[in-house]
Amino acid sequence: MQSAIVTRDLTKRYGSVIALDGVSLTVERGEIFGFLGPNGAGKSTFVKILLHLVKPTAGDASLFGVPVHEPRARKNVGYLPEHIRIYDFLTVAEFIRLHVRLAGIEHDAVRKEAEHCFEVLGIASLRTRKIGTLSKGMLQRVGLAQAIIGQPELLILDEPTTALDPIGFADVRRLLLDMRRCGTTIFLNSHILSEVERTCDRIAILNHGSIVAIGRPGDIAKKDHYLEIIADGITDEMLAQITSKLKISIGRDGSVLRAYPQREQDAAALHSMIAMLGGRVRSIRWHSETLEDLFCRIVHHETVDHQRNRD
Amino acid sequence: MKLWIISAIGIKECFRRRILYGMFLTAGLFIFLVRGCDSGTVRGERLLLDAEARASIAVSIAFHGIALWSFVLCSVLSMSVLARELDNGTALLTLSRPIRHGEFVAGKLLSAFIVSIMHLATLAIMLLVFVPAPHRWKIVLGTVFLVPALMLCTLMTSVFSLITPRVIAPLLAMMVYGTSCWAALPYYFDKLRLIWTPSPAITRAYQFLPCFGDLQFIGAAVVRGASFGEHLTGTVLNTIVYCVGLWIVNVILFSRRQRS
């Protein structure tokens, strides 16, 4: 069975600016995939290439095995852009019916499908309202309603919860999980890291147009599982001895040591060795980075490297 | 099918433009005023125009009037259909559906074209009702020749709107229309040729310009019941070539701007 999204060496340049730099990514069917990155990292460009709204400079992309330049690739795809712009003279019902028809749904089923979308997103009361009179949150719900038309096989959401209140937030999470249960693949561009951590099966972090980390949120964070030791009387010689004997990489910031042992047992060995060499351990604890810590660290680190390379 | 869905939304959008009603009412008022004018007696230096000749001249003037009015409206509507979609970003969501750029462009341009045709048809019907003419069906037949000219106008204005600021596009289109009419004049008015023989440069320009002038003068000839000369085949070919060419340019420019 074909993967939902496959891209190979996807590159996009705007003049001298590189928006995407050889991005290769595979999103399997039925997973919720989180796509993270700071502003200007190239996330929206990537999404637009998937929908053939932007042409890549190099590389190729396919949805369910169909190259993105073919209209049939978008046949079962729902999309919610980051800044939703709709014909403001239409009513909500007219807008939804327009997209039901554009999605290729049979003429007889148009009304039924539109009603289903109203119900799922709780916007039935907005049917007769003009789009131009809606608040940002309502507009976001209407946008989501058009994205789920026809139970798409792939749902691409660019910042879907930006304008929503906490209830809307929870509704969207519930909706995404329900859709995943029905087999929909969800590609989620978001800045709300806690939300991504709770909802996504896998994530990728994009920075300066390249993927800098990819995997399950727990696994990525686990890579940066370290031991934080606060100790007095530690000299550089002592650190060198511990490092060479236990083969543990240790960083130091004053009295705070950051050790990256390979095994859980190394914590006890480290503690006894510090004591043996004359140091006094005040506290020792395992520390795992949250996705937010990881995101900030990776993005910051990459940005510094990028700047250095440019200089 | 999707082309008609996009076109229906475009038509709705066109009907929201106040200029449409303003221009329609102005044209309607002028046509209505014609009814109240007493034709009187027109005496030239050497000739006396009879009632039929006077009616024929009045209908011709009205025909050219509604043609000009329709071109102005058509270019004003066409300047926004694609350029506004790009400026406002409303095309994004529609194009994320399984639709080709060509279909989208066709649907949007069709909407401006259809509204222009509706405007032209309404004015022609008013002309039929208010202006007494010996052969009323000729007005209908003459108006048919303006339909391809409006299509050309839609396509050309849209191209201009994609490469220049939107407001300049109708002005450029009207310049081409005016030049085409001016260049075509000596080929349809024998007496004019006696005092002005077009130079080879004008003849070449006439051959390569879009045939707005020819279509309008052929229509006017049909309305007057006169012969429309030997230019029909060339005009049809020129119009087809221009329509196809401008359509392709529209799709290419729209796609490039959309995807850039």
Side-chain angles (χ1 to χ4, degrees), chain A residues 89, chain B residues 13-14 16-17 76 78-91 108 161-162 166 254 257:
Chain A
F89 55 89
Chain B
E13 201 174 4
C14 285
R16 288 182 70 245
R17 310 278 306 274
V76 168
S78 312
M79 74 175 183
S80 301
V81 282
L82 292 178
R84 188 182 275 185
E85 288 278 347
L86 291 170
D87 294 346
N88 295 350
T90 41
K108 294 303 288 185
S161 74
L162 292 171
R166 247 195 287 170
F254 177 80
R257 273 193 59 184

Side-chain angles (χ1 to χ4, degrees), chain A residues 88-135:
Chain A
D88 55 6
F89 55 89
L90 295 180
T91 64
V92 171
E94 284 170 336
F95 169 70
I96 294 293
R97 265 185 249 135
L98 163 74
H99 276 270
V100 171
R101 288 193 193 104
L102 289 174
I105 287 167
E106 296 283 318
H107 188 265
D108 301 340
V110 168
R111 189 172 285 272
K112 202 176 158 196
E113 182 61 35
E115 287 305 318
H116 169 74
C117 295
F118 290 143
E119 219 166 272
V120 171
L121 267 299
I123 53 169
S125 60
L126 303 179
R127 267 192 206 99
T128 53
R129 287 272 297 273
K130 291 260 187 214
I131 298 280
T133 66
L134 299 179
S135 69

Side-chain angles (χ1 to χ4, degrees), chain B residues 209-222:
Chain B
L209 274 171
C211 288
F212 287 115
D214 292 78
L215 289 163
Q216 190 168 324
F217 291 135
I218 290 172
V222 171

Side-chain angles (χ1 to χ4, degrees), chain A residues 12 14 52-55 71 74-75 77 79 81 84-87 89-90 94-95 98-99 101-103 146, chain B residues 2 5-6 9 12-13 16 85 88-90 92-101 104 108 258-260:
Chain A
K12 177 68 188 174
Y14 295 102
H52 199 48
L53 297 169
V54 166
K55 209 172 177 183
R74 302 186 293 278
K75 198 162 178 247
V77 177
Y79 169 55
I84 183 160
R85 293 194 178 104
I86 313 173
Y87 305 109
F89 55 89
L90 295 180
E94 284 170 336
F95 169 70
L98 163 74
H99 276 270
R101 288 193 193 104
L102 289 174
Q146 71 76 32
Chain B
K2 279 169 189 161
I5 297 168
I6 293 163
I9 293 297
K12 195 162 183 178
E13 201 174 4
R16 288 182 70 245
E85 288 278 347
N88 295 350
T90 41
L92 202 75
L93 215 50
T94 313
L95 289 170
S96 71
R97 297 285 169 195
I99 292 170
R100 289 183 191 280
H101 277 65
F104 182 80
K108 294 303 288 185
Q258 159 64 34
R259 290 186 184 135
S260 62

Side-chain angles (χ1 to χ4, degrees), chain B residues 152 156 160 172-185 187 196 201-215 234-243 246:
Chain B
L152 258 178
M156 183 179 292
F160 287 141
L172 290 174
M174 291 316 291
M175 269 174 63
V176 176
Y177 164 72
T179 312
S180 167
C181 287
W182 170 73
L185 274 173
Y187 301 96
W196 175 40
I202 298 275
T203 309
R204 254 197 309 280
Y206 163 69
Q207 283 165 347
F208 288 104
L209 274 171
C211 288
F212 287 115
D214 292 78
L215 289 163
T235 303
V236 170
L237 275 175
N238 174 296
T239 308
I240 292 171
V241 169
Y242 260 102
C243 281
L246 287 170

